[in-house]
Amino acid sequence: MHSASPLAGTPHPTNGAPPSPWVERWVPCVDAGTWGLDLACGDGRNTGVLLSHGMRVAALDRDVTALERLAERYRGHSFGRLLEIDLETAPWQPELWVPAQGFGVIVTCNYLWRARLGLVLECLRPGGWWIHETFMRGHEHYGRPRNPDFLLKPGELLTWAAQAQLRVIAFEQGESAGAIVQRIAAQRIPAEGIEEETPYEAAGQWPLIG
């Protein structure tokens, strides 16, 4: 199931969880005025970061209740589209929700669905950014999720970036605020511009989060 709803002004959230510092750090690098995708957006804690950067936002989640909270959170402000889509079960129909030029940024926090991740990354426009932060192996000792299907393997986001021919700008993994997480910021560039080895691969070590 999918649906789209317009909202309209500038973001001014009044409640809900704060945005991810990782998203706040890297979104200013994205070209303003492009479309951004907040994937598995929940009630929109990161949506406002994209809006404040002057982006039009497609906020996608399968939870209609969360989307309703997001609509209330940004009521009366310039937005884009609300998309009620279950990417895990719905047919893959990006033509219904991906802008013709692709997204200038795809943001995902605390969500992992490997079966569609490669397809999602294909929706980035040239120069577009992928900003992803979620739990990894080892977090099962701290809390949910514990299912390995929803926990990244060490360095896994780097593998996805390489497969999608994205240049890795920043990568972290390790313990942070009582969780074991992995984070990446990567950019789509022409294939000939990608070096054979990134600094992370060449070093053979993964920087831990302080």
Side-chain angles (χ1 to χ4, degrees), residues 118-149:
L119 292 172
V120 168
L121 293 179
E122 290 178 2
C123 300
L124 280 174
R125 63 185 294 164
W129 284 71
W130 176 39
I131 303 172
H132 199 133
E133 175 182 41
T134 195
F135 305 103
M136 65 175 290
R137 298 282 175 89
H139 181 76
E140 65 273 16
H141 302 298
Y142 288 70
R144 295 180 179 178
R146 296 186 173 91
N147 187 333
D149 290 343

Side-chain angles (χ1 to χ4, degrees), residues 155-167:
E156 184 175 348
L157 291 181
L158 291 173
T159 300
W160 284 105
Q163 291 175 352
Q165 296 190 325
L166 306 181
R167 172 180 287 164

Side-chain angles (χ1 to χ4, degrees), residues 5 7 25 50 54 59 63 94-95 108 112 121 145 148 163 165 193 206:
S5 304
L7 298 179
R25 175 180 175 182
L50 303 178
D63 185 345
E95 68 278 5
T108 310
L112 177 65
L121 293 179
Q163 291 175 352
Q165 296 190 325
W206 312 112

